[in-house]
Amino acid sequence: MMDMRVKKTKRSIINAFLELRSKMPLEKIRINELCRIAEINKSTFYAHYQDIYQLSEEVEQEVLQSYLNIPHPEYVLCNTEGFVRELFQAFYAHERLFHILFSGSRSSVLTEKIAEGIRELILRQYPQYADNPVFHTLITYRVYGSCYAFQESKDYGEELVISLIGKLAGQDFEEFALQREGSFSCQQKETWTIKRDDGKRQKV
């Protein structure tokens, strides 16, 4: 268990970082200024973090882990509307921190990290999908597509857009079974096959 003094120091560093990050790009944050706000010396900072980028990465990961604690990440495979609903309910709970951490040069990273996190969550439960091309393509398609479509269209009404994304993104994939072995919690209909470069079809 982390010592309470260490925990308090790290929290002071993180709070100071978030204060500065809300005002400026990551690249312009200076350790001296961060330490002044956190009321620590530089040696204390470097006892916990190699540099400002390591600090930023750890804070991002902490926020993302909290964000990805959605009830049913597996819905991305079989219930796109439910997945989008859970994803964006969680997004609004973390919206302020996302805007702070993933702005400027980090603006393109958030969706990538969400897709990576969802992929890891599902593979822990279904490791047999690790080499499944349909699985990896579907995760990319649904996470990136849902995030982009929601951000671009949410002014039409969140409920309407969530429902539309669910129907549009799910239409072509609901019939595809992704398992090679074992069972999956959502009902699937059949195994999909892909056409290889040599013209033969391969079950996936």
Side-chain angles (χ1 to χ4, degrees):
M1 182 178 293
M2 187 183 299
D3 184 277
M4 289 301 297
R5 291 172 298 178
V6 173
K7 184 180 292 187
K8 183 178 179 180
T9 298
K10 293 193 75 170
R11 183 49 54 189
S12 295
I13 293 172
I14 290 170
N15 288 340
F17 170 74
L18 291 172
E19 179 180 337
L20 291 169
R21 187 68 179 88
S22 67
K23 300 173 183 176
M24 65 185 69
L26 177 62
E27 297 80 6
K28 291 190 176 181
I29 295 177
R30 298 293 175 258
I31 301 298
N32 285 339
E33 179 65 5
L34 186 149
C35 290
R36 183 189 67 78
I37 295 172
E39 299 182 338
I40 60 171
N41 55 47
K42 289 178 68 174
S43 63
T44 300
F45 175 88
Y46 287 113
H48 297 288
Y49 302 101
Q50 180 179 343
D51 52 32
I52 201 70
Y53 297 99
Q54 183 190 12
L55 169 59
S56 179
E57 179 67 23
E58 288 192 16
V59 175
E60 287 179 7
Q61 286 301 117
E62 182 179 331
V63 173
L64 282 164
Q65 284 177 7
S66 175
Y67 167 67
L68 289 172
N69 189 30
I70 57 178
H72 306 97
E74 73 279 2
Y75 278 2
V76 69
L77 300 180
C78 57
N79 179 1
T80 311
E81 183 174 345
F83 171 72
V84 173
R85 190 174 306 280
E86 289 187 358
L87 200 66
F88 290 106
Q89 285 174 346
F91 177 85
Y92 285 121
H94 297 80
E95 187 173 16
R96 176 180 171 274
L97 286 173
F98 281 160
H99 282 315
I100 291 172
L101 294 170
F102 297 98
S103 61
S105 63
R106 304 296 291 165
S107 60
S108 63
V109 176
L110 179 57
T111 304
E112 176 185 338
K113 285 184 173 286
I114 291 173
E116 181 182 323
I118 292 293
R119 196 188 316 273
E120 289 177 358
L121 284 174
I122 297 174
L123 287 177
R124 287 176 198 167
Q125 188 172 2
Y126 302 102
Q128 67 269 28
Y129 296 166
D131 298 320
N132 189 308
V134 181
F135 169 77
H136 290 287
T137 303
L138 183 146
I139 294 293
T140 300
Y141 172 73
R142 286 190 169 167
V143 174
Y144 278 79
S146 296
C147 288
Y148 184 80
F150 185 82
Q151 290 302 320
E152 288 294 307
S153 306
K154 63 182 179 181
D155 289 344
Y156 293 112
E158 293 169 12
E159 284 298 317
L160 171 63
V161 172
I162 287 172
S163 179
L164 285 173
I165 292 172
K167 289 179 173 62
L168 293 170
Q171 185 174 11
D172 292 335
F173 288 94
E174 286 300 322
E175 65 187 58
F176 299 150
L178 299 179
Q179 71 267 33
R180 293 178 181 176
E181 55 184 302
S183 61
F184 181 63
S185 60
C186 297
Q187 184 176 0
Q188 302 289 336
K189 296 179 181 178
E190 62 183 9
T191 299
W192 193 36
T193 62
I194 58 173
K195 189 174 182 180
R196 303 187 322 202
D197 291 341
D198 60 8
K200 297 181 180 179
R201 302 194 69 83
Q202 174 185 346
K203 287 186 178 183
V204 293

